[in-house]
């Protein structure tokens, strides 16, 4: 679902920004850009489950020294991987749409995420006000 939605947004917004990429190039970009996130997810989740156990899935978690060290080690790595993901996705979008600058690819990426998040915020605000 995420792949299809990202493909549509990358293709449509890339075209609005003057890109020449087609649907196939945008969908390949959306698929391959997720690889660093998926590898990191699998790499981090197994140690997190071993260290945190069932408390990983609870709202209130007691913290041990091992868990604090684990958090201080893996959260900066996760942030670094996310920055890498954004940079790689921006460069892939620039390549797919024939932009001269990766900054234009970054603009397409950023606007696509805003187009995704903004309606959800409105929906959750309305639903929160109703119930």
């Amino acid at each position: 679902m995420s792949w299809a939605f990202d493909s549509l947004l990358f293709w449509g917004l890339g075209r609005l920004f003057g890109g020449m990429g087609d649907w196939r190039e945008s969908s390949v970009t959306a698929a391959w850009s997720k690889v660093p996130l998926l590898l990191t997810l699998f790499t981090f989740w197994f140690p997190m489950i071993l260290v945190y156990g069932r408390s990983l899935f609870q709202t209130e978690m007691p913290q041990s020294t091992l868990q604090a060290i684990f958090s201080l080690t893996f959260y900066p790595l996760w942030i670094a991987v996310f920055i890498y993901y954004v940079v790689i996705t921006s460069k892939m979008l620039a390549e797919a749409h024939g932009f001269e600058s990766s900054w234009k690819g970054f603009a397409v990426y950023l606007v696509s995420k805003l187009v995704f998040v903004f309606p959800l915020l409105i929906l959750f605000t309305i639903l929160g006000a109703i119930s």
Side-chain angles (χ1 to χ4, degrees), residues 27-119:
S27 63
V28 167
T29 297
W32 279 107
S33 68
K34 302 278 190 235
V35 170
L37 296 179
L38 292 172
L39 290 175
T40 305
L41 181 71
F42 289 126
T43 304
F44 288 167
W45 266 99
F46 292 121
M48 286 177 71
I49 290 171
L50 291 174
V51 170
Y52 290 103
R54 289 184 157 205
S55 65
L56 180 65
F57 302 102
Q58 297 173 352
T59 305
E60 298 291 326
M61 282 191 330
Q63 287 285 329
S64 70
T65 305
L66 179 62
Q67 291 171 340
I69 292 170
F70 187 80
S71 296
L72 290 173
T73 303
F74 282 104
Y75 289 134
L77 288 173
W78 176 253
I79 291 169
V81 169
F82 182 76
I83 291 169
Y84 176 76
Y85 158 74
V86 171
V87 169
I88 291 299
T89 303
S90 300
K91 290 184 177 292
M92 289 173 74
L93 283 167
E95 181 69 27
H97 284 286
F99 296 142
E100 292 181 14
S101 169
S102 294
W103 287 106
K104 216 171 199 182
F106 177 70
V108 170
Y109 170 80
L110 190 62
V111 171
S112 73
K113 296 306 172 190
L114 291 174
V115 166
F116 178 73
V117 169
F118 190 68

